[in-house]
Each structure stands twice: as structure tokens, then as C-alpha cells.
Amino acid sequence: MSRSPTAVAQRRIQSELRDWLQHPPDGCKLVQYEDLRTWVIQLLGPESPCQPQLYTGQTFHLRILFSERYPLEPPEVTFLPPSPVHPHIYTNGHICLDILYDGHNGGWSPALTINKVALSLRSMLASNTDNRRPPGDADYCARMRGRSPKETRWEFEDDSV
Amino acid sequence: MSDYGDSDYDMGGSDAYSSGGDDFSYSGDEAEASSPVAKGAKKSFVVLDKEELRERLGAGVSQVVELLCISDAEATRALRFYKWDLTKLQEEWFADPEAVQVKVGLVDEQPSTRRKEEVCKICFESFSVQDMACARCKHYYCKDCWRGYIHTSIESGPFCLDLRCPDPECKAAVPRRVITAVVDAAHQERYDDFAINSFVDDQRQIVWCPAPDCQNAVMSMHDQLGVAQDIFCRCGNAFCFNCKEEAHRPVDCDTVRKWMIKNSAESENLNWILANTKPCPKCTRPIEKNQGCMHMTCSQCRHEFCWLCEGSWAEHGERTGGFYNCNRYKRAVDKGEVDEQEQRRQHARQSLERYMHYWQRWAENDTSRKRALRQMEAFKSETQELISEYTATPVSQLRFITDAWMQVVHCRRILKWTYATAFYAFADPVNATKEAKARLAQHQEFFEFNQGQAEHYLEKLHGQVEKQLNTFVRPPPSPPEGEAAAAGSEAAGPSGRDQQGWAKFREQLIGLTDVTRIHFEKLVNEFEKGLDEALKEYDVPMAQASTSAAAATAAAAAAEEAAAAKAKAAGKAPADSRRITRASKRRQGPVDQEQAAIEHEAGYWQCSHCTYANEAMDSQECELCSQPRGATR
């Protein structure tokens, strides 16, 4: 009686898509979803409540890749270049945010949705005042060339930025 | 146990092992055979197999469930949070229940849904509420999604024990009934294993047995954790609760650690250096001579010397035998002077030698222990059957042999560690007062005497069980034909004489096992108590003991008399009436008049070898150890 994970993923993605198209989150626009497994979301740079305004007026593109085990497994979420300059976002688009990863220190939950993920990322940008890349950015990008951010062992120690 | 007086000698009643807690079953022969510890000694640990651990864990959880009226999952989580310390959890809970609930992450029960259908928040499909499950938070998910969620969590490690409702904002613990309702058997087992691991790993008083294939855990009831405690697991492994090294009572964990580090760093090098080098007579650096003549030049200090006699090369030449010989050395050998030179050389590397002395004894006992262990296994698997057949003794009655082997193994280990501890305890003290040095010397003498005693009996026991036993591993000589005919069958028992020998062997072995055990217990206890204390008990004034042999003998005689009197009162053999100086043990010759009078009055004579009280007054051989009467140790 157990459904195959692919069918579950398929149906769940369809429901999310339906939901998204009816109530898209603020500042986000789905620009590509023909292949149900790959979405591209256009993210409008949020207005920051504090100075300096780092992202106002810019647009970024998020790529979402759903695996067959979605939603038990988190989707792979990266910024398509050019990625926003942020102490938790690498030049290659990899994002250090706990809800994007599972495992023992990851914060992914199957009850999260792309809608919520997109909102979290926007608020992550909105609250940032530090116009820098993460330390070791160049090294990391060279090492990770072409690989998934899921292969990285992330340490999510800093929630303030 | 503080006293090894006369009355302990006959301990070993049916309740001898009872103090280890009700659940430590000693009836299983494996358990008993693997615990050659003091009979009647306090057992302060419990061996727990997986099933027993599961029971204890379950009992702990249900206790909390009843006490605090929370679900099993919450109880597990709360216990985990407090490292399974029920008392602490209880205290804090009753002091401030809300604070604990927040800390542990427990949520209030929410009202159930009134609807018949709910949307699963994971697959976004509608299900009848009956087909869904939820925690106290009443966030409903369908069973398939629960299964996927819980399986994924179990696969990612022990954190599945803190599993929460999938809702990212919700902290509710996933109840056990949800888990058991949806997961498959393999995942359930992994989950239970994680719970047991946590139960063991998070509690200081429970540890895993470190033997490679053993799955038992051991719970210590010792009031003081963090000190050495010998544990005998049912698997046969003996280890220290505190440091997980091999059991090493009476030595403390620090000494063991230091010793092991020293061994790993030095033993191999030292062995080689001692075997292959001589120190330069001038600068004492070790020199290897791997070729060439006897004319050596130290590469470090450029000192030139003769390899054989170690004298300066300036004194050598044609007249002393040339480059390949040394007359001085030859003469010295002939006159027996070489010993002195040897001594000088030893002095130069005294510390190395000292270490080697203790290391070799440590290592020999270790090897001996391992061999004994193998021999015991061989006995159990092969020899036992044969002996049973040849001596017409049921296997169940051959336990005394396994016991003897176990005693040997156990004692070899104790002995081994006494050498490690002696290396540190009796090292030459730097800047010590004269008195302190004297006291240390006295301690050393006392310790070595006890060690020597214990070792002596161990050697005897080892020899007996190793060699004597073999004489019974052959068919008994067939009786004369007439008798055989009379018996009418080949399977007739062994001849009377052989049977007698067997009975005697049995009696001796049991006696020796006992005596050895007593000596080792004494050694261990005295060391643990502190040698000062132990010496005091002999009531021998310190100065006298070390300086005046006569006084010591007198004191010892008094002690012996007291012991004899006590023994008489108890009607048992005195376990120990030993003297503490070497002077007294050197006493030789036939039993003197006074001694004879005392013995006559007492109605037995005490074997000077094993202290057994022989009641056969005219016998010249000890009934227990077969040593001639009046023989010296």
C-alpha cells in the first residue's frame, strides 16, 4: 500500500505549485517550472529596515531542485549567479542556512514548503547589513566546482546575520 | 573486606556470591567460572545484557510516566535530558514543572480536531483522521508520511531519539505508539538500539564491556566513580570500570596509564639496546658493535676503549693480545673479577635495568596469563572429556580444575600489575629524609615479601594444574587380567591406586586454589589499604622490624601464638600467621623443643609452608601442600 516516493514527490510538488500560483509570496515570482523537478524563482531584493540598503532594486534567481525523496529530503536550493553578496552566501550560489539541509544539525522538515523557504531567504537578505562574502569564499568555490551544496558539512553557528 | 582473619578461611557457603544484587545470577557456570574473586567479597557491579538493559530502560521510563503523568516519549526525552538521573529530574520537576517542560521541550496537550478529515502537512493530501497520527500538538500527518519521516530520522543517527513533530515551529515529542505503529522491524530495532546506547552512554555508572564481541554492559554500584574498579563480565573479559583497560586492582588507573605509555615508548627500543649495546665507559652513551675489532672509538666523546674489558685502549696493544683479543679480560674472567665490571656497567644504566626488571616480570606474567587462558580453553574443550573418562569422574565434578585455571589467570593479572606499581611506588625518592627512605625501604620489603609469598603459591598452583593434571590425561593402567575378568567389563573404573592419586590431586588442587586466592586477596587489600596501615596491623614497631631481626622474630612468635590461640578457638586452621621479616622466614632446621611443646598443646602442627593446621601429629608431610614438616619456604 506504500506509495512510491516518486509519486509522493510528484503530487506534493504539484500541490505546492498550485498553492504558489494562487498565493505567491511577497517579492517572489516563479519564472520556470515546466519541468516539475526544477524551479527557478525570481527574488526581488528586499527593502532593509536598517541602513545600508544592500539589495534594494536588485533581482536574484533561486534554483530549486527536487529529489525523488522530496519532501523527506530537502530540495537543493542555490542562487544562480550573480548571487547576492552576503556573509552566508558563497559566490557560486551555495547558501549556508540550516533549513535547507537535513542530518543531525540540519533544520529541514518535510512540513516546510518552497513558499516558506523563499520567504526565509528574503528575510535573510533583509536583515543583513554586512556587505561581505563568507570567509574562505574563493577556496570553497574552487573546491566545490560543479558539486551540490548538500555535499558540504555545514556548521550553522551564527543565527544573527 | 578488611580482615583476612582465621574465620575467612572456611567461607564459601551457598550465599557466598549473594551480595552482587539479585539479578546478578551466579548460578550460570560461565559467570562463576569467570569470577575468581574473593568468595564473600562485596560485589558491587551488575552485568546487563541487551534484554536486561531494555528492561531497565523500560522500567525507568514507566516510572517517570507514572510519576509525572507525561507520555513515554516525553519521559524518555526528559530522562535523556537529565542523563537518566531520575532523582534530579524529579527534584527539578517538582520544584518548577514549567521550567523543566520548557527546557526539555514538552508541550501541552492540544484539543483533538473535530473534523473527520485533515490534510497531511507533508504530502498535502486529505485523509480520514483515523488514518492519521499526531503528537500532543495535534498536527496531523498520514501514516505513510510519518513512516518516511521517522525512517529518515532513524537512518540519520541517534538524534532520532529526540524526534519532534515535523512542523518546523513545533517542539512536541513523537510518542512511542506512533513510532511503533508505522516503522518496520529493522528500523524499530535500530531505534531501540539507539535508545539502549543512550541509556548506557549517558550514564556514568553504566559502561559497555570493552571486549570486541561483547554486547553486555556493566552497571557499577560503587559509591565512588572515577576510581579503579575490577569488573568481570560474563563474556570472560576482566576490565577496569574507570579506565577500560584490563582489570588492574590494586593499581590505580593513572599508574596503569603511565606504565602503558612508558611501555609503548620504550620497551622495544630498550630490549634491543640491552641486547646489542654496551655503554661507552666514559660518556655512557650506548654503542652498538656491528663489525670490526675490539678497538672502539666512541663516536660522541672520542673515547677509545677495548670492547671486551672496557678499559682504555691506551693500555692495550700487542702485549695484551692485540686487536682481536684481550688478555686483561681473560684474566679477569679467570679470577672472577668480571662480575664487578658487570656491576659497574649495570650501575651506569641502572634506571634502564630497573625498568627492565619490572617490565620483564610484568610481561612474563602477562604472557603466562594469556597462555593459561588458552590452556583453560583447551581443557574445557578437549582434555576435560578425557579426564572425566579416565578418572571416572562426571564432568560436572571437574569444575575445581577450571576454578584453579581461573585462579591462575586472575592472579597472573594481579601479579603483573603489582610489578608495574612497584616500579613507581619504590623508585628512589629524590630529596627524601632518611626516615622517609627507611620507611620506603620497609614498605618495599613488606610488599615484596607478600608479593613473593603470593607468587610462590601461584607458581605451585600453576605447576600443579599445568603438569600434574597431564598425568591424568591417559588411560589408567589396565588392572591385572584376573581382576579384569572379575570386573567382567572393559569399562571398569580405574585401579584403586590411581583413584587414590586422583583423589589426592583433587584435594591438593582445591586447597592450593584456596590458599593462593587468600594470599592474593591479602596482597591486594594491604596495598589498597596503604602499607603503613597494613604494617600497623602486625603490631610491629617500625624500627624494630627493620633493624633487629631478633626483635622481629620475637614479635612474630607472639603473633603466631595469638593466631594459634584464635585458630584453636575457632577450631580451624589459621589462614595467616605470617611474619613480616625475611629474618624469620630464614629459620631453618628441625622443629625446636619449644615449638614441639606448643604444637602438642594445640593438638596440631602448622605447616610452615602453607600454614595448614595438620592434625596428624606424627605425620612428617603436610596434608595440604605435601611439603615436608618444618621445611622452609
Side-chain angles (χ1 to χ4, degrees):
Chain A
M1 69 158 258
S2 177
R3 296 159 295 178
S4 84
T6 325
V8 175
Q10 191 88 358
R11 276 209 293 275
R12 155 95 186 221
I13 298 165
Q14 273 165 346
S15 333
E16 275 198 61
L17 182 61
R18 214 166 27 241
D19 187 57
W20 177 294
L21 294 175
Q22 281 166 13
H23 315 282
D26 278 356
C28 302
K29 192 177 155 201
L30 196 53
V31 293
Q32 183 190 315
Y33 54 88
E34 283 74 28
D35 166 15
L36 219 48
R37 291 295 173 73
T38 314
W39 292 10
V40 175
I41 295 168
Q42 192 189 64
L43 215 62
L44 212 60
E47 275 190 41
S48 176
C50 40
Q51 293 300 327
Q53 296 287 336
L54 294 174
Y55 311 107
T56 321
Q58 304 181 57
T59 52
F60 306 103
H61 286 88
L62 269 181
R63 190 185 63 171
I64 320 276
L65 288 176
F66 297 100
S67 79
E68 292 196 341
R69 284 185 38 83
Y70 184 79
L72 295 174
E73 225 173 59
E76 182 187 316
V77 182
T78 49
F79 276 105
L80 293 173
S83 65
V85 176
H86 185 284
H88 289 169
I89 299 169
Y90 291 86
T91 312
N92 63 0
H94 289 193
I95 307 160
C96 178
L97 178 66
D98 64 344
I99 60 163
L100 298 183
Y101 306 98
D102 56 3
H104 81 267
N105 59 350
W108 172 253
S109 156
L112 280 168
T113 57
I114 298 306
N115 192 320
K116 289 175 190 157
V117 168
L119 282 176
S120 296
L121 282 170
R122 254 193 119 223
S123 82
M124 186 172 125
L125 295 183
S127 62
N128 180 39
T129 54
D130 195 357
N131 193 20
R132 273 190 307 153
R133 289 289 180 190
D137 177 49
D139 267 2
Y140 177 82
C141 296
R143 216 167 26 174
M144 293 303 289
R145 192 178 298 270
R147 285 155 73 189
S148 159
K150 287 186 180 183
E151 293 174 32
T152 305
R153 284 177 70 94
W154 298 97
E155 298 284 343
F156 310 106
E157 71 274 287
D158 179 13
D159 290 334
S160 63
V161 189
Chain B
M1 268 179 107
S2 59
D3 179 28
Y4 280 87
D6 317 332
S7 58
D8 283 344
Y9 199 68
D10 64 331
M11 285 198 74
S14 56
D15 62 340
Y17 286 123
S18 65
S19 50
D22 303 332
D23 37 5
F24 191 19
S25 160
Y26 251 115
S27 53
D29 42 352
E30 286 305 315
E32 188 168 350
S34 60
S35 301
V37 280
K39 289 186 180 173
K42 207 173 158 201
K43 287 212 76 67
S44 49
F45 63 87
V46 182
V47 180
L48 302 165
D49 64 22
K50 210 166 159 184
E51 205 41 57
E52 289 162 323
L53 283 169
R54 208 191 302 271
E55 275 166 28
R56 275 177 188 254
L57 187 149
V61 171
S62 357
Q63 212 175 342
V64 175
V65 168
E66 260 174 50
L67 209 64
L68 309 182
C69 298
I70 54 179
S71 78
D72 50 7
E74 291 164 332
T76 310
R77 189 189 282 187
L79 277 170
R80 254 168 69 76
F81 189 86
Y82 284 99
K83 304 271 181 218
W84 302 91
D85 186 344
L86 178 60
T87 325
K88 193 162 175 228
L89 165 62
Q90 212 174 321
E91 265 170 26
E92 295 205 10
W93 180 281
F94 288 117
D96 188 354
E98 273 171 31
V100 176
Q101 285 174 21
V102 170
K103 249 201 266 185
V104 180
L106 308 184
V107 300
D108 288 336
E109 179 91 44
Q110 298 298 312
S112 298
T113 178
R114 294 220 191 106
R115 284 182 290 193
K116 282 188 178 159
E117 284 202 344
E118 282 285 342
V119 172
C120 170
K121 298 277 189 344
I122 293 179
C123 64
F124 291 177
E125 287 180 45
S126 285
F127 290 89
S128 148
V129 171
Q130 290 165 353
D131 293 331
M132 303 178 88
C134 61
R136 287 166 81 113
C137 55
K138 298 294 183 295
H139 292 126
Y140 289 89
Y141 305 94
C142 76
K143 288 191 176 153
D144 280 335
C145 287
W146 268 120
R147 183 178 302 115
Y149 178 63
I150 297 171
H151 278 190
T152 306
S153 167
I154 290 173
E155 281 155 21
S156 63
F159 292 89
C160 64
L161 296 174
D162 293 324
L163 196 62
R164 298 180 172 206
C165 166
D167 189 296
E169 313 289 303
C170 180
K171 289 182 170 9
V174 179
R176 213 183 148 74
R177 68 179 155 76
V178 174
I179 296 173
T180 42
V182 300
V183 300
D184 61 29
H187 282 85
Q188 179 74 55
E189 199 185 325
R190 273 186 82 178
Y191 180 84
D192 290 344
D193 283 352
F194 282 133
I196 289 172
N197 286 353
S198 155
F199 185 68
V200 173
D201 295 341
D202 293 350
Q203 292 193 82
R204 279 194 73 205
Q205 66 269 29
I206 305 187
V207 298
W208 294 110
C209 169
D213 295 324
C214 181
Q215 298 210 327
N216 294 339
V218 173
M219 179 155 104
S220 169
M221 262 86 83
H222 213 281
D223 1 311
Q224 212 188 344
L225 296 177
V227 298
Q229 188 190 358
D230 281 5
I231 302 289
F232 302 93
C233 181
R234 267 179 235 154
C235 71
N237 185 28
F239 66 98
C240 168
F241 188 88
N242 188 42
C243 69
K244 316 291 179 298
E245 277 285 353
E246 172 196 65
H248 54 71
R249 233 180 121 217
V251 182
D252 62 79
C253 301
D254 269 355
T255 306
V256 170
R257 194 177 41 81
K258 265 198 304 199
W259 179 257
M260 295 311 282
I261 291 171
K262 190 172 176 64
N263 285 354
S264 61
E266 291 192 27
S267 70
E268 278 179 38
N269 293 341
L270 275 188
N271 265 329
W272 188 89
I273 290 171
L274 283 182
N276 299 290
T277 71
K278 282 184 180 183
C280 163
K282 199 169 170 199
C283 71
T284 73
R285 282 194 180 84
I287 294 172
E288 179 198 10
K289 175 174 157 53
N290 49 15
Q291 57 180 337
C293 68
M294 298 301 161
H295 179 188
M296 307 296 292
T297 304
C298 174
S299 62
Q300 302 296 312
C301 69
R302 314 305 303 170
H303 176 61
E304 294 180 44
F305 66 99
C306 162
W307 178 256
L308 283 174
C309 74
E310 293 176 48
S312 165
W313 191 256
E315 297 160 15
H316 285 68
E318 282 301 317
R319 63 197 160 78
T320 59
F323 283 85
Y324 298 96
N325 216 335
C326 175
N327 292 338
R328 288 160 54 113
Y329 180 71
K330 260 194 194 147
R331 267 202 306 281
V333 172
D334 292 342
K335 278 159 74 183
E337 281 169 1
V338 170
D339 273 356
E340 204 188 321
Q341 293 204 349
E342 186 68 11
Q343 266 173 9
R344 248 196 303 148
R345 199 174 71 183
Q346 275 182 3
H347 187 74
R349 49 182 179 176
Q350 198 181 28
S351 70
L352 288 194
E353 289 280 332
R354 189 169 172 277
Y355 168 60
M356 283 307 286
H357 168 90
Y358 288 104
W359 184 82
Q360 274 164 355
R361 279 153 188 79
W362 179 85
E364 272 162 24
N365 275 296
D366 190 47
T367 318
S368 185
R369 184 185 71 89
K370 284 179 186 143
R371 204 175 47 231
L373 212 57
R374 280 199 301 275
Q375 282 170 305
M376 181 176 75
E377 291 311 317
F379 166 76
K380 280 202 221 161
S381 59
E382 297 159 24
T383 335
Q384 185 164 248
E385 297 275 311
L386 292 175
I387 290 183
S388 168
E389 190 184 321
Y390 297 149
T391 63
T393 315
V395 168
S396 63
Q397 284 180 30
L398 291 178
R399 266 285 291 286
F400 73 96
I401 298 175
T402 321
D403 286 352
W405 273 122
M406 278 315 302
Q407 197 64 51
V408 169
V409 170
H410 182 60
C411 292
R412 283 283 172 213
R413 193 183 51 240
I414 295 178
L415 198 58
K416 162 181 146 178
W417 287 113
T418 62
Y419 281 108
T421 205
F423 174 78
Y424 292 106
F426 306 120
D428 235 358
V430 188
N431 299 331
T433 61
K434 213 176 153 194
E435 288 80 47
K437 278 190 177 173
R439 194 162 62 238
L440 190 72
Q442 195 190 0
H443 281 181
Q444 182 167 6
E445 191 179 8
F446 178 63
F447 179 77
E448 284 177 357
F449 176 67
N450 278 343
Q451 191 187 36
Q453 284 270 304
E455 190 160 11
H456 168 83
Y457 285 103
L458 176 56
E459 294 303 341
K460 241 180 115 53
L461 176 65
H462 204 155
Q464 191 98 345
V465 75
E466 196 170 44
K467 301 210 174 71
Q468 282 272 90
L469 183 65
N470 277 336
T471 60
F472 297 98
V473 194
R474 54 173 168 71
S478 47
E481 270 179 34
E483 272 181 51
S489 131
E490 263 187 292
S495 70
R497 239 189 85 207
D498 235 51
Q499 197 66 292
Q500 226 174 12
W502 170 247
K504 198 172 164 206
F505 168 75
R506 181 172 183 277
E507 199 179 319
Q508 279 180 358
L509 195 64
I510 293 174
L512 260 175
T513 308
D514 257 9
V515 171
T516 309
R517 196 192 66 238
I518 288 166
H519 275 290
F520 271 87
E521 277 167 11
K522 192 174 155 58
L523 182 70
V524 167
N525 275 291
E526 275 169 355
F527 192 82
E528 280 181 339
K529 215 168 6 176
L531 295 174
D532 258 341
E533 279 299 303
L535 271 166
K536 262 184 219 154
E537 267 176 38
Y538 283 86
D539 213 18
V540 181
M542 294 223 176
Q544 269 187 1
S546 55
T547 57
S548 158
T553 317
E560 190 172 319
E561 219 167 291
K566 250 164 119 190
K568 200 176 168 191
K572 292 290 171 191
D576 200 351
S577 58
R578 211 173 320 110
R579 287 128 299 198
I580 60 151
T581 62
R582 285 173 178 164
S584 59
K585 87 181 170 186
R586 280 189 218 111
R587 195 180 50 177
Q588 293 204 357
V591 189
D592 62 20
Q593 292 284 315
E594 200 185 340
Q595 185 69 22
I598 293 172
E599 282 173 0
H600 183 73
E601 202 178 311
Y604 66 84
W605 61 271
Q606 193 188 351
C607 173
S608 55
H609 202 77
C610 71
T611 73
Y612 182 76
N614 288 278
E615 285 172 6
M617 291 302 288
D618 48 356
S619 163
Q620 290 304 313
E621 189 180 271
C622 173
E623 204 181 320
L624 186 68
C625 70
S626 307
Q627 289 292 317
R629 186 172 182 175
T632 50
R633 295 182 238 266

